[in-house]
Amino acid sequence: MQTAPRSSRNPKRATSFYQARWLVVFLGLPLLLYSVWVIYPFVRTFTLAFASYDGLSPAQWIGWQNFREMFQTEAFRLALWHNLIWILIFITVPTSAGLGLAMVLNQGVRFDRFLKIAYYLPLVLAPVVTAMVWGWIYHPQQGLVNTVIAGFLGVLKTLGFNVNPEDARNIGWLGDPKLALLSVIGAAVWRQVGYVMVLYLAGLKTLDAEVLEAARVDGAEGFNLFRYMIFPMLAPVTTVVVVISIVDSLRSFDLVNVMTNGGPFNSSEVLANYMVKTAFHDYRQGYAAAVAVILFLITFVFTLIYLRQVMRQEERNL
């Protein structure tokens, strides 16, 4: 009886080749797109930072000249200073307000679900939409802010105070160099509070109830319980909140660009908006790349600090 010839093809090898082929298909395409849209622009930005380039002519190598010019330019120093102010406000006001809201809503107050959604809703809106809404709110004549101030001055006038309610209509929140930056930051804070609240709510749900109950038995109540027990136990969440707030501060662009475009007189300028204007309005993409490098390095430093804190926390937990 003649037996059928055995196939020279190894089934295990065929299966391995089949799996490798699909591995290339599923990982290769995303890696290709990631390389085109992320890695190549990242490397290209670093190379252009040391060149004179207008986006059309060939790039010319000029070394550190862009960086030297950058730190000698008042507009850049002002934008950097405004970013530092933004960071300081962002790591204090939204963090404190978000933590306070989380503590209140974690107690199971009435309509807590509605309140959570209401405070988180601004984060769902696109930054451009937020900028347009707050632009209307800050409008000198029909804006909500000046209308409320005018109403308050009207009440004071009826009580005999020498005030003029129409003076409120002269407040230009986005047109006054002294108020423009704080006005834009105010809109950003309104958007950020809900995000911080959600992070702290998640952190509060993970606290050890037995430890807190033991602290209450020992007499810890109210602010003392929060200060000596709850807040230290929320340290990992606070670290995440602070780092996210810093990163969001450094990449703030949408609100500034739509509401003021850095004006008036660069009074609300930040690094991201300054970079875009330099690249696409002044056609100095090499100089703008140098600004992007500085912005990346600042963000990278804060990210390293965050990772170091996370690693230390993991070591303590082991």
Side-chain angles (χ1 to χ4, degrees):
M1 182 176 180
Q2 186 177 4
T3 59
R6 297 182 59 183
S7 175
S8 60
R9 190 175 181 181
N10 191 336
K12 292 184 177 180
R13 182 177 299 178
T15 304
S16 177
F17 174 78
Y18 179 82
Q19 293 175 345
R21 182 179 63 181
W22 283 108
L23 183 65
V24 172
V25 171
F26 282 107
L27 294 182
L29 183 58
L31 287 176
L32 177 62
L33 295 176
Y34 186 80
S35 300
V36 171
W37 293 105
V38 178
I39 297 178
Y40 173 74
F42 179 81
V43 176
R44 181 64 171 167
T45 299
F46 270 82
T47 57
L48 288 179
F50 299 93
S52 176
Y53 183 58
D54 60 4
L56 299 174
S57 305
Q60 297 180 356
W61 179 267
I62 58 175
W64 295 92
Q65 182 176 335
N66 284 330
F67 293 93
R68 287 194 294 265
E69 179 185 352
M70 183 194 316
F71 286 100
Q72 294 173 359
T73 303
E74 182 180 359
F76 170 80
R77 296 198 301 265
L78 197 60
L80 179 60
W81 172 245
H82 291 161
N83 268 115
L84 295 177
I85 295 176
W86 199 303
I87 290 174
L88 180 62
I89 295 177
F90 241 47
I91 62 178
T92 53
V93 179
T95 302
S96 303
L99 177 59
L101 287 173
M103 291 294 298
V104 172
L105 296 178
N106 194 52
Q107 304 300 320
V109 297
R110 293 185 62 185
F111 308 110
D112 57 341
R113 292 185 179 180
F114 170 77
L115 293 174
K116 291 175 184 177
I117 295 174
Y119 284 115
Y120 186 78
L121 187 60
L123 195 68
V124 179
L125 300 176
V128 174
V129 176
T130 302
M132 294 180 64
V133 170
W134 277 91
W136 297 332
I137 293 175
Y138 284 135
H139 192 278
Q141 300 300 322
Q142 291 86 26
L144 177 63
V145 176
N146 285 357
T147 300
V148 172
I149 295 176
F152 178 72
L153 293 179
V155 173
L156 293 181
K157 185 176 181 179
T158 58
L159 295 177
F161 290 90
N162 186 20
V163 293
N164 184 11
E166 292 302 318
D167 291 342
R169 306 298 182 182
N170 298 325
I171 303 176
W173 296 96
L174 301 178
D176 190 336
K178 297 180 180 179
L179 300 176
L181 178 64
L182 294 179
S183 299
V184 177
I185 295 177
V189 167
W190 174 79
R191 189 173 185 271
Q192 188 78 2
V193 168
Y195 184 42
V196 176
M197 177 199 70
V198 170
L199 292 177
Y200 274 118
L201 277 173
L204 289 171
K205 299 299 182 182
T206 62
L207 298 184
D208 193 334
E210 295 182 358
V211 174
L212 296 178
E213 186 63 29
R216 292 189 181 94
V217 172
D218 292 338
E221 295 180 356
F223 181 73
N224 288 331
L225 178 64
F226 170 78
R227 178 182 179 183
Y228 295 107
M229 295 299 300
I230 297 178
F231 189 68
M233 294 171 70
L234 289 174
V237 181
T238 302
T239 302
V240 174
V241 168
V242 169
V243 173
I244 290 177
S245 299
I246 292 174
V247 173
D248 288 345
S249 302
L250 292 172
R251 62 187 184 91
S252 55
F253 165 74
D254 309 78
L255 295 179
V256 175
N257 185 264
V258 175
M259 296 178 71
T260 64
N261 197 24
F265 309 111
N266 295 327
S267 60
S268 61
E269 191 67 276
V270 291
L271 289 178
N273 192 65
Y274 175 69
M275 174 187 65
V276 172
K277 290 198 301 185
T278 304
F280 299 105
H281 292 187
D282 300 337
Y283 297 100
R284 301 189 60 194
Q285 297 191 10
Y287 180 86
V291 177
V293 169
I294 296 299
L295 190 58
F296 164 76
L297 292 177
I298 297 174
T299 307
F300 184 69
V301 168
F302 284 113
T303 304
L304 284 181
I305 295 174
Y306 163 69
L307 292 177
R308 185 178 179 183
Q309 293 295 328
V310 171
M311 294 298 295
R312 286 184 176 179
Q313 187 66 31
E314 292 294 333
E315 292 176 355
R316 292 172 185 172
N317 295 334
L318 293 178

